[in-house]
Amino acid sequence: MRCLVINLDRSRDRLAHVASEFGRIGVPFERVSAIDCPDFCSVAKSPLSAAEVCCFLSHRSCWEIVANGADQYGAVFEDDVVFGAGAGSLLASDRWVPRDADVIKLETHFAKVRVGRKEVALDDGFSLARLYGLHAGAAGYVISRSAAQRLLRRTMHLRGEVDFVLFHPGFMTCSVNRIYQIMPALCAQHHFVSGRERLPSLVRRPGRRPKPFLDRIVGEAVRTFAYLRNQSLTGTKKIEAVAFSGSEVDGKPVHGAFIYGQPEHGHFNKAAGIPIARKNSSTAK
């Protein structure tokens, strides 16, 4: 399984960071040159900012590589990713990936999310559950060749941020895919787990955009279609956050994150006031 990393030519510090992360887990990666805003030509009728469009097109470049490659699955990462424990053994191959999976979300944003109650057990305490609700972020995911081909066809016109197109059930591009969440997460963006923005996001989203009434109606219809198609009206649960499998970043304890493998549930990370998840809790099964 090829691991593709999106990186701007001018972001050498981020390339050094992600190269160190992949070196630490012993997995090779391929750099994909990101599309930069100064080189960007505007996309007509897109509701996205220039930075969001460039980010989306950079992910599409990765989908093209997966869609035209020989492997059934590929992994896509952004260059501010931090890996947790166990990432290396899973990213070394795709043998653990369910053959019916279209997309597997590898990261966590530490937000409430709805997943299926039924889990598929993997080695080393990891599991997979169907992802039914919005889980933002596109810093790390596995995508099948067939899903990459479909996404390329369905995103000729950009109608939403790339993580929403991938992981928001109000978008048909998400609803037609069988999406899994790995638990605990293999990765997270650096600033989520370090408590500082040494690698600040290069895509600053504007304030929440009000959706036109028709778009809201269509979104709810698509969401209902997703529930019916995936038979997810029952058999799901909402969890406080998908835990992170690591406990250190840059040699320091993880800051403000649900951490997999801590001895007790309900205790708080004093630095951030956020509960730490126990290994066998409902947050970090």
Side-chain angles (χ1 to χ4, degrees):
M1 180 169 65
R2 298 166 74 179
C3 292
L4 309 173
V5 174
I6 299 168
N7 172 251
L8 287 165
D9 293 343
R10 57 185 167 89
S11 294
R12 296 181 181 178
D13 56 336
R14 298 168 76 96
L15 179 59
H17 160 78
V18 78
S20 175
E21 284 294 305
F22 273 94
R24 180 171 60 81
I25 65 172
V27 174
F29 73 94
E30 302 172 39
R31 177 183 176 272
V32 177
S33 183
I35 296 172
D36 206 348
C37 285
D39 304 324
F40 166 69
C41 296
S42 62
V43 175
K45 299 182 180 179
S46 174
L48 307 180
S49 68
E52 288 171 331
V53 171
C54 290
C55 177
F56 201 128
L57 295 179
S58 299
H59 280 266
R60 287 188 93 252
S61 295
C62 293
W63 300 344
E64 289 177 354
I65 293 171
V66 176
N68 297 320
D71 295 339
Q72 186 173 354
Y73 291 94
V76 179
F77 298 96
E78 294 177 352
D79 58 8
D80 60 348
V81 71
V82 173
F83 291 116
S89 60
L90 289 175
L91 293 178
S93 76
D94 65 1
R95 289 193 298 270
W96 56 275
V97 177
R99 295 300 98 174
D100 65 347
D102 292 309
V103 181
I104 299 176
K105 189 172 180 68
L106 302 178
E107 72 170 316
T108 177
H109 258 215
F110 305 107
K112 290 183 180 180
V113 63
R114 184 167 293 280
V115 297
R117 293 185 181 276
K118 183 179 179 181
E119 297 182 19
V120 179
L122 304 176
D123 292 338
D124 299 324
F126 290 94
S127 66
L128 292 171
R130 290 289 302 277
L131 180 61
Y132 291 114
L134 168 64
H135 191 185
Y141 57 93
V142 170
I143 186 168
S144 72
R145 185 171 59 229
S146 58
Q149 292 166 350
R150 284 196 302 274
L151 280 166
L152 288 171
R153 291 195 299 269
R154 290 174 175 266
T155 57
M156 298 299 291
H157 301 288
L158 308 185
R159 305 189 187 282
E161 300 95 323
V162 65
D163 55 337
F164 277 34
V165 165
L166 284 168
F167 300 117
H168 194 313
F171 284 77
M172 188 63 75
T173 44
C174 168
S175 297
V176 298
N177 284 329
R178 183 175 289 265
I179 302 173
Y180 287 88
Q181 169 74 55
I182 193 165
M183 299 189 295
L186 294 186
C187 60
Q189 288 180 289
H190 185 275
H191 68 274
F192 276 116
V193 291
S194 68
R196 62 191 187 281
E197 284 201 316
R198 182 168 65 83
L199 298 170
S201 173
L202 299 180
V203 180
R204 296 296 185 185
R205 288 180 173 172
R208 189 174 182 86
R209 307 179 184 92
K211 278 190 173 183
F213 178 73
L214 181 58
D215 286 354
R216 294 200 299 271
I217 295 296
V218 171
E220 288 304 313
V222 171
R223 192 192 303 270
T224 301
F225 162 79
Y227 287 147
L228 294 174
R229 178 182 184 273
N230 294 306
Q231 299 179 345
S232 57
L233 290 173
T234 61
T236 68
K237 60 183 177 181
K238 182 169 282 190
I239 57 177
E240 289 299 312
V242 175
F244 178 57
S245 64
S247 59
E248 290 188 354
V249 175
D250 302 332
K252 299 178 181 179
V254 166
H255 174 91
F258 284 85
I259 306 170
Y260 177 78
Q262 294 293 327
E264 295 185 28
H265 178 55
H267 285 206
F268 281 78
N269 179 329
K270 293 180 181 178
I274 295 178
I276 297 174
R278 190 181 62 207
K279 181 174 181 177
N280 293 320
S281 74
S282 62
T283 311
K285 274 189 178 179

